[in-house]
Amino acid sequence: MGGRRRGEALTGIDRAADAGDLFGRASARLRRAVPFDAAVWAAADPETGLVTAPMLVEGLGERERCADYWESELLEENVVPFRDLARAAVPAAGLRAATGDLPARSARFRRLLEGQGVRDELRAVFRAGDRSWGVVSLFRTGGGPFTHDEVELVAGLSTPMATRLRRLARPAEPSPLPDAPGPGLVLFDPSGAATSLNDEAREHLASLPPGPSVPTALGVRLPIWIIGTALQARAIARGRDHGGARVRIRTAAGRWLVCHASGLTGPGGSPGPVALVIEPASAADLAVIIAESYELTPRELEITQHVARGLPTAEIAARLFISPHTVRDHLKTIFQKTGASSRGELVARLFTEHHWPGARS
């Protein structure tokens, strides 16, 4: 029974045109098997686990409290945070089951969910191998809590959803590349409010896909994935996390930006502002996403990077201490996985199509 319901929930995901379409299809199908009243679906950066575009928010007043939800996730003590689920044997959990039917043990429930009438939350991480590619939270405002079978069903979606998200990270068809703005800078005060930004930041923000965002006093709305990166920098500064405050974001045109934030020190060593930089992603920034999206092994990615540098087979073999025959075997596999038929096509497909030309000075 569980296998049939899981299969029904996954019906059509292979036809999804992009991650947003994937979330919409999966949500509509899953609701039939696991009833819920609201949901948040989001892509995740496979290296840091931070949420990125796109994000689908359904119910609970739509997007008004979305920033508060992620602030609680990153800065407060909570039950089954996504970072723990990403490493758990079962990548899904229900809030009431995890707290012994005492959900108020979670700050997220006390501060946000209870006031919105939520009785239970089921959350999951979509992971393939040791990489997280997305997350989902399902909410119930009525009826009983999520059952063990429902948690197991959602957990069973983890690898298929991650595999599809990973594949959808591949580049779209080549298109003319515009000049890229230089690095954008956004400053946040210690409370998390955006206080200033440059024109380049405004240009980059305008290129991002639609999604949940928050207004600022600067006349621009900041997407949740930008807010989340700044929140992660604050969490690191407070000693709550050792991870990186860094996320790759795909623009509405299919190009990649990288966003990274750092907490600064105030007077007397007190927590200071957060500086966030958003800029065009380089090939090095995208190495993991590129390799994972084509299911390249670490060795295959290494060889591909040497090919991108223009090295011949013999020199690649010498640098990697393997035979030229082994290099050719790896290249054959790489061509099969990527659909490329030559070295030039391989470099264009895996690198040139993913990133911007040199930034404007």
Side-chain angles (χ1 to χ4, degrees):
M1 178 69 73
R4 180 178 63 81
R5 293 169 67 200
R6 185 181 307 119
E8 291 173 353
L10 293 169
T11 299
I13 70 168
D14 58 332
R15 296 192 295 274
D18 53 40
D21 184 29
L22 173 65
F23 292 151
R25 289 171 181 264
S27 189
R29 289 280 184 175
L30 182 60
R31 194 187 295 266
R32 303 173 191 173
V34 180
F36 56 88
D37 302 297
V40 177
W41 301 76
D45 186 292
E47 283 195 274
T48 63
L50 295 178
V51 293
T52 186
M55 181 181 291
L56 173 66
V57 180
E58 301 173 311
L60 290 182
E62 295 298 327
R63 305 174 180 192
E64 285 84 348
R65 304 298 302 277
C66 205
D68 294 334
Y69 182 85
W70 295 107
E71 181 177 11
S72 177
E73 173 73 17
L74 294 169
L75 297 182
E76 297 181 331
E77 290 295 333
N78 277 296
V79 178
V80 291
F82 286 121
R83 63 176 177 271
D84 289 353
L85 282 178
R87 300 187 297 267
V90 178
L95 180 59
R96 284 189 175 271
T99 60
D101 205 29
L102 296 171
R105 290 178 175 174
S106 168
R108 182 175 66 256
F109 182 84
R110 294 192 306 271
R111 187 158 79 90
L112 298 170
L113 302 183
E114 186 175 25
Q116 297 183 72
V118 173
R119 296 197 69 252
D120 199 10
E121 176 187 13
L122 193 171
R123 47 176 35 200
V125 171
F126 303 137
R127 69 187 187 201
D130 61 352
R131 305 282 189 188
S132 299
W133 289 87
V135 299
V136 64
S137 283
L138 309 177
F139 306 96
R140 274 187 182 160
T141 58
F146 290 103
T147 67
H148 174 76
D149 286 347
E150 289 172 330
V151 172
E152 286 292 314
L153 190 154
V154 173
L157 305 183
S158 177
T159 298
M161 286 290 290
T163 300
R164 186 59 183 155
L165 285 167
R166 181 175 65 185
R167 186 176 182 85
L168 289 169
R170 295 179 181 181
E173 289 300 313
S175 59
L177 290 170
D179 288 339
L185 177 65
V186 185
L187 293 179
F188 297 83
D189 67 22
S191 72
T195 58
S196 60
L197 78 168
N198 62 6
D199 290 340
E200 289 82 359
R202 292 179 185 272
E203 285 192 68
H204 287 307
L205 291 171
S207 75
L208 298 179
S213 61
V214 297
T216 70
L218 304 173
V220 297
R221 297 184 68 91
L222 294 181
I224 290 301
W225 34 89
I226 298 291
I227 297 294
T229 308
L231 287 169
Q232 175 70 355
R234 291 172 62 195
I236 293 170
R238 295 182 184 187
R240 293 188 54 82
D241 203 318
H242 297 293
R246 183 172 178 270
V247 67
R248 276 69 59 93
I249 309 169
R250 205 164 194 176
T251 69
R255 305 299 171 192
W256 288 94
L257 299 172
V258 61
C259 176
H260 43 97
S262 179
L264 308 179
T265 302
S270 62
V274 168
L276 181 144
V277 175
I278 180 170
E279 59 188 337
S282 68
D285 291 324
L286 297 173
V288 168
I289 287 180
I290 292 169
E292 292 280 345
S293 70
Y294 286 103
E295 299 181 51
L296 301 180
T297 66
R299 176 64 90 188
E300 288 165 354
L301 174 61
E302 193 173 19
I303 289 173
T304 301
Q305 290 172 321
H306 284 310
V307 169
R309 297 184 186 105
L311 299 186
T313 297
E315 189 168 346
I316 295 174
R319 291 194 179 205
L320 300 181
F321 302 101
I322 57 179
S323 71
H325 176 74
T326 301
V327 172
R328 284 190 287 270
D329 281 346
H330 280 305
L331 282 172
K332 181 179 179 181
T333 302
I334 292 166
F335 288 156
Q336 289 173 341
K337 288 182 176 181
T338 62
S341 58
S342 68
R343 290 186 176 216
E345 185 181 354
L346 175 68
V347 173
R349 181 162 296 183
L350 269 66
F351 297 105
T352 308
E353 294 170 12
H354 284 272
H355 60 85
W356 305 71
R360 295 198 300 264
S361 58

